[in-house]
Amino acid sequence: MGPLYCALISQIAIILAFAIIGAGLKEIDDAFDEDGYSKKKAIVIAPIIVLMWICLSLFDSISATILFSILFAVLLTGKIDNLIFKVSTIALISILFLTQMLNLLWIPLVVLILMGVADEKGNDYVDNHATLTLVEFFFSYRFCMKMGLLSLCILTLLPWLYLLAFLAHDGAYESVRIVGKISVAHQR
């Protein structure tokens, strides 16, 4: 196996890991917020997601930067709202402080946290207020963080691979939401 092959496998693994983490987070979130989801399944998924997140973060500081920016954004906006997320957050932040604090990319971290907070606040706003369709779409699908990542890639502060990885995370997250809505509607 040549270095190009190994690099390709590594890139695919990063994208897949982001997708699995995104899907897992949505599955856990829905288990505690929506009817028709299994809390037992969420309890089984949570440690797997935490371990995957930790492994990815330990071996890749850019992944750590992006994943922890997501975590800090939801933490700052009060979205850590169930015991599984609270325990997972404690585990992740403990690992972060023990291993990764010096390896995070600080400018991208701050930019992405701010964009993530804007996404969460905007999403809450459009959930509770009548807005223009475009504004509702923008915040319902949390485009601030996507635009933040795109900007960081354009400015060459992050490699383009991580925009793809983040989009895989987001796409998997949204897929679980869509499949969940279909499943719940089908059960009725």
Side-chain angles (χ1 to χ4, degrees), residues 45 71 104 131 143-144 171 174 180 183:
I45 290 172
L71 178 64
L104 294 176
T131 60
F143 272 91
C144 286
E174 290 301 324
S183 296

Side-chain angles (χ1 to χ4, degrees), residues 168-185:
H169 175 279
D170 224 41
Y173 185 95
E174 290 301 324
S175 295
V176 169
R177 179 196 324 221
I178 292 166
V179 169
K181 284 182 180 179
I182 293 169
S183 296
V184 170

Side-chain angles (χ1 to χ4, degrees), residues 73-136:
V74 295
L75 191 60
L76 288 170
T77 55
K79 298 296 177 100
I80 308 291
D81 59 357
N82 65 61
L83 182 61
I84 295 296
F85 277 154
K86 289 175 183 174
V87 170
S88 298
T89 298
I90 291 167
L92 290 168
I93 290 176
S94 298
I95 296 298
L96 170 71
F97 282 111
L98 293 173
T99 63
Q100 288 296 311
M101 280 307 284
L102 299 176
N103 296 327
L104 294 176
L105 306 173
W106 291 98
I107 292 172
L109 181 71
V110 170
V111 167
L112 293 174
I113 289 171
L114 292 173
M115 294 303 216
V117 168
D119 275 336
E120 293 299 331
K121 293 294 187 181
N123 184 263
D124 289 346
Y125 185 84
V126 298
D127 282 349
N128 297 314
H129 298 86
T131 60
L132 297 171
T133 305
L134 184 60
V135 172
E136 183 176 343

